[in-house]
Amino acid sequence: MGRLTEAAAAGSGSRAAGWAGSPPTLLPLSPTSPRCAATMASSDEDGTNGGASEAGEDREAPGERRRLGVLATAWLTFYDIAMTAGLEQFSCLSLRSSWDYRWLVLAIAMVRFYMEKGTHRGLYKSIQKTLKFFQTFALLEIVHCLIGIVPTSVIVTGVQVSSRIFMVWLITHSIKPIQNEESVVLFLVAWTVTEITRYSFYTFSLLDHLPYFIKWARYNFFIILYPVGVAGELLTIYAALPHVKKTGMFSIRLPNKYNVSFDYYYFLLITMASYIPLFPQLYFHMLRQRRKVLHGEVIVEKDD
Amino acid sequence: MKHYERDDSSRNQSSLWHSSDSSLLKGGDSGRKDKGEAVFLGQELTSLRLCFPQVEPHATIAEIKNLFTKTHPQWYPARQSLRLDPKGKSLKDEDVLQKLPVGTTATLYFRDLGAQISWVTVFLTEYAGPLFIYLLFYFRVPFIYGHKYDFTSSRHTVVHLACICHSFHYIKRLLETLFVHRFSHGTMPLRNIFKNCTYYWGFAAWMAYYINHPLYTPPTYGAQQVKLALAIFVICQLGNFSIHMALRDLRPAGSKTRKIPYPTKNPFTWLFLLVSCPNYTYEVGSWIGFAIMTQCLPVALFSLVGFTQMTIWAKGKHRSYLKEFRDYPPLRMPIIPFLL
């Protein structure tokens, strides 16, 4: 659901991304145009708006950029670089300068594994610690929104991050038999490429040096990556269903003291069904954003 | 832009003419429907020029809305938002034309608020649903529980008591909607009814399913727990009703005036000393009582969600009281005395 909810963020939150009514922030912000800051947002929605403002920027006054406080910029730069590429060692969640760039490491680890072993079996096991740590750490993005250094709505980012965490912890981590499914590799590849592109995009935007090809990548890769990622996620959940039903995991049955019940199996079915309304909305929203950013089309939006 | 002229002695125009730009009833793309919503270019709304000669200076906005509806029947008055500035606030129906900052020609901007539905209709629908749905589960109508349980009755007293409380609550709400409440607004957007009904009906079904389930487990502390919970529930229902009556008495029939509510002789209204919206306080209390009575987690969750929503409303109401009244009692909190 990662990509789905990201785009949902894009769809519903595209207004929220603007600095209409300055968001609360701990740091002094100079009252200039919000475009630069908009690119730092950690969700597609803001990225696209950032991209949009990028495009707008090219045509209008290039000098007008919003400046975040130095501390916030430094932190976000670390965070984005950290998410993109990486050094091999990391210890704990501290602000060490040798931050861990896990997504690139993940990508490299996956490629190496496949080249050595020739199979995807055992791949998940070899990268799982990194993946789990890394994807869980994305919770920090919610904090970014809460303290206001990124102009996305907290709810939007929260939903996005939650769905990724759902996939990693509640499906692949908890349901061991499906870890060797091909579909797992499918969404891992999709996530990895997307995240590397996205965080590179943010990093370069933050540093005010955005090579066109990164922007191009960010707004074109999704065309393949979204459906691939969604397919991977859905197939994985589908493969997990028999195991869930057999073991009755994460479920509560009646009778019990609190008169409640929960069936994880039906919960998963409903989750899968929810992709049907959500995915097309997100996908078409991203397509529209792409037209706006890359081709400078003027899209008439609903006036609210 | 809709023009209207107050003094038409020199102008002898027909009462309706279109501007030269024929973006008129295409109205700056208002004709184009995108998922049922009108799309407007930029911030400019419908580019509409109407001339209403011979409108009295003391005409109200409500009268102008009626005039507008005559020429554009699809936009009934409840759907119209008229403003002096496209980005400004909506003008109120009671505003009188000559008191507005307009010259001899007033330019008003129109905005379509979308299909509207009356508050009373929404309330009646959203409250009738839970009443009916709960009873379906209580009587164990077929296809909910296994067939051997069809139309059977629970052997626990608390289940019958819960049905009475739940039904009483919603009947009270229906009656209050019909006879007690005085609404500030006549209508709300149509899509609200779907959202609200999903919430109320969905939660009612979820709660009712467990309380009336053949495998229901009665409260751990037995009759003591039920009696205590029932007391809380009854007190809060009486409190809630008292507050509704007190608020009604603040406002004369048909008016939309706002005054600071104060405690009356009724002890339940003394909560006004500590709280701006004691009706919400009592409502949360009722549901907590019901949750303790049934010892059912879905009820607790419903109470929590309701509490969250009512807190948001209470804070908003509190803020607008503070803005409107300089002498607002400082001791009062929005919903929970001293805390929230």
Side-chain angles (χ1 to χ4, degrees):
Chain A
M1 257 307 234
R3 208 121 320 94
L4 271 186
T5 47
E6 254 177 54
S12 59
S14 51
R15 274 170 323 189
W19 289 95
S22 28
T25 172
L26 301 174
L27 308 154
L29 298 172
S30 59
T32 50
S33 153
R35 289 171 199 144
C36 179
T39 64
M40 274 174 281
S42 55
S43 76
D44 257 12
E45 159 234 326
D46 288 297
T48 54
N49 273 304
S53 58
E54 263 287 344
E57 191 99 39
D58 294 343
R59 279 186 248 115
E60 299 171 38
E64 274 188 59
R65 282 192 181 264
R66 181 164 202 156
R67 273 169 201 81
L68 274 196
V70 172
L71 199 61
T73 313
W75 163 251
L76 280 174
T77 315
F78 277 143
Y79 181 83
D80 289 341
I81 293 176
M83 292 305 222
T84 311
L87 297 177
E88 201 49 37
Q89 77 270 12
F90 70 100
S91 55
C92 57
L93 314 178
S94 63
L95 289 175
R96 290 159 43 111
S97 52
S98 62
W99 191 261
D100 187 41
Y101 311 157
R102 276 313 180 177
W103 286 105
L104 244 181
V105 165
L106 260 175
I108 293 170
M110 283 163 64
V111 170
R112 274 174 56 196
F113 184 95
Y114 194 80
M115 285 170 64
E116 281 167 26
K117 301 280 172 66
T119 170
H120 63 273
R121 301 181 78 83
L123 170 66
Y124 178 79
K125 207 156 177 188
S126 70
I127 57 149
Q128 62 172 331
K129 273 212 186 62
T130 312
L131 175 69
K132 278 185 268 198
F133 169 76
F134 211 53
Q135 194 58 69
T136 311
F137 214 75
L139 281 169
L140 213 55
E141 301 188 17
I142 305 180
V143 176
H144 290 167
C145 298
L146 267 170
I147 65 178
I149 56 179
V150 162
T152 324
S153 121
V154 180
I155 302 174
V156 148
T157 312
V159 168
Q160 195 176 316
V161 172
S162 310
S163 79
R164 284 284 183 90
I165 290 182
F166 159 76
M167 209 56 218
V168 167
W169 286 102
L170 296 185
I171 303 286
T172 50
H173 166 77
S174 310
I175 309 173
K176 299 223 178 340
I178 52 116
Q179 286 173 359
N180 287 322
E181 293 282 325
E182 288 84 353
S183 49
V184 173
V185 180
L186 212 55
F187 74 76
L188 281 180
V189 165
W191 288 9
T192 313
V193 178
T194 305
E195 298 302 84
I196 292 175
T197 320
R198 187 158 72 96
Y199 285 108
S200 309
F201 179 83
Y202 294 146
T203 308
F204 284 107
S205 306
L206 257 176
L207 302 173
D208 283 353
H209 286 296
L210 184 73
Y212 183 75
F213 85 88
I214 292 201
K215 184 158 85 166
W216 184 92
R218 204 235 146 117
Y219 285 100
N220 279 294
F221 283 1
F222 80 89
I223 297 179
I224 306 291
L225 291 178
Y226 261 49
V228 165
V230 166
E233 292 169 24
L234 281 178
L235 285 169
T236 309
I237 301 177
Y238 184 73
L241 287 177
H243 301 283
V244 171
K245 195 166 194 138
K246 196 169 58 167
T247 60
M249 60 187 295
F250 293 165
S251 302
I252 315 170
R253 300 246 181 275
L254 286 178
N256 61 68
K257 203 162 64 153
Y258 295 111
N259 293 303
V260 67
S261 69
F262 180 74
D263 194 327
Y264 193 46
Y265 180 78
Y266 287 107
F267 175 74
L268 289 180
L269 285 178
I270 294 171
T271 305
M272 287 176 71
S274 67
Y275 276 66
I276 298 177
L278 289 175
F279 175 67
Q281 282 184 39
L282 298 169
Y283 196 62
F284 289 123
H285 174 88
M286 281 302 288
L287 284 174
R288 262 177 283 143
Q289 292 294 75
R290 173 180 173 274
R291 280 207 302 270
K292 215 181 346 189
V293 170
L294 294 184
H295 301 308
E297 267 184 40
V298 174
I299 311 259
V300 178
E301 295 291 349
K302 175 168 79 131
D303 182 36
D304 235 53
Chain B
M1 283 185 262
K2 186 177 85 176
H3 287 272
Y4 106 99
E5 259 110 19
R6 288 188 297 172
D7 125 49
D8 90 321
S9 40
S10 47
R11 308 274 217 124
N12 205 2
Q13 315 241 347
S14 61
S15 60
L16 169 64
W17 49 273
H18 300 287
S19 72
S20 50
D21 67 83
S22 62
S23 61
L24 190 249
L25 267 183
K26 179 180 148 209
D29 290 326
S30 74
R32 173 155 45 105
K33 295 292 180 179
D34 209 336
K35 294 181 194 173
E37 311 240 30
V39 176
F40 303 98
L41 271 175
Q43 294 293 340
E44 276 301 302
L45 305 169
T46 326
S47 184
L48 202 61
R49 285 181 115 151
L50 301 175
C51 177
F52 294 116
Q54 286 199 319
V55 180
E56 300 294 318
H58 57 252
T60 60
I61 296 291
E63 288 166 18
I64 294 178
K65 285 186 179 177
N66 285 328
L67 280 176
F68 190 46
T69 305
K70 286 211 182 72
T71 51
H72 294 83
Q74 77 273 26
W75 290 321
Y76 42 87
R79 262 179 101 137
Q80 299 177 28
S81 164
L82 298 180
R83 332 162 161 195
L84 291 171
D85 165 23
K87 295 186 197 159
K89 280 177 61 163
S90 244
L91 294 169
K92 301 206 196 80
D93 280 359
E94 310 81 56
D95 289 340
V96 175
L97 217 36
Q98 70 185 16
K99 300 227 173 82
L100 295 174
V102 294
T104 50
T105 304
T107 302
L108 299 173
Y109 290 88
F110 157 76
R111 180 185 194 147
D112 180 14
L113 296 171
Q116 298 284 303
I117 185 168
S118 84
W119 270 58
V120 174
T121 312
V122 173
F123 272 37
L124 292 179
T125 321
E126 59 187 33
Y127 298 154
L131 182 62
F132 179 66
I133 289 171
Y134 193 99
L135 292 173
L136 288 177
F137 287 87
Y138 177 74
F139 289 114
R140 294 191 183 153
V141 151
F143 299 105
I144 300 179
Y145 307 111
H147 277 300
K148 71 176 185 185
Y149 296 114
D150 290 349
F151 296 118
T152 54
S153 181
S154 172
R155 60 174 206 275
H156 305 293
T157 336
V158 67
V159 172
H160 306 295
L161 190 58
C163 181
I164 294 171
C165 289
H166 188 271
S167 307
F168 170 79
H169 180 80
Y170 281 103
I171 292 172
K172 168 180 158 293
R173 284 212 203 182
L174 284 165
L175 293 175
E176 282 173 344
T177 306
L178 289 169
F179 302 115
V180 175
H181 293 313
R182 297 216 159 104
F183 295 100
S184 302
H185 306 282
T187 66
M188 64 167 87
L190 183 61
R191 77 186 97 88
N192 278 13
I193 195 174
F194 301 109
K195 194 169 43 114
N196 292 7
C197 286
T198 307
Y199 170 77
Y200 278 104
W201 297 13
F203 260 114
W206 196 39
M207 295 192 292
Y209 176 78
Y210 291 108
I211 299 172
N212 298 295
H213 200 283
L215 296 177
Y216 172 77
T217 311
T220 316
Y221 296 103
Q224 263 186 328
Q225 183 172 337
V226 174
K227 282 201 190 99
L228 171 68
L230 183 62
I232 297 174
F233 180 80
V234 170
I235 290 171
C236 290
Q237 290 288 285
L238 287 170
N240 180 264
F241 179 69
S242 309
I243 303 298
H244 286 157
M245 288 304 287
L247 290 172
R248 169 198 169 83
D249 293 334
L250 272 185
R251 173 180 278 185
S255 80
K256 293 182 185 178
T257 53
R258 273 197 302 279
K259 303 209 287 253
I260 303 179
Y262 281 107
T264 66
K265 291 208 183 68
N266 182 340
F268 287 111
T269 63
W270 297 351
L271 198 49
F272 270 122
L273 290 168
L274 298 174
V275 156
S276 289
C277 301
N279 49 322
Y280 294 146
T281 318
Y282 284 124
E283 181 71 20
V284 176
S286 302
W287 285 108
I288 290 175
F290 191 68
I292 296 172
M293 189 195 303
T294 54
Q295 198 167 298
C296 177
L297 193 61
V299 179
L301 288 173
F302 178 64
S303 313
L304 185 64
V305 176
F307 173 62
T308 312
Q309 175 65 84
M310 285 189 275
T311 304
I312 295 171
W313 288 337
K315 283 186 180 260
K317 190 102 212 169
H318 186 76
R319 224 173 299 132
S320 58
Y321 275 146
L322 288 174
K323 234 188 336 183
E324 191 166 348
F325 303 111
R326 285 267 163 72
D327 55 341
Y328 196 73
L331 186 61
R332 291 190 194 182
M333 295 297 276
I335 187 172
I336 306 284
F338 309 118
L339 293 176
L340 196 56

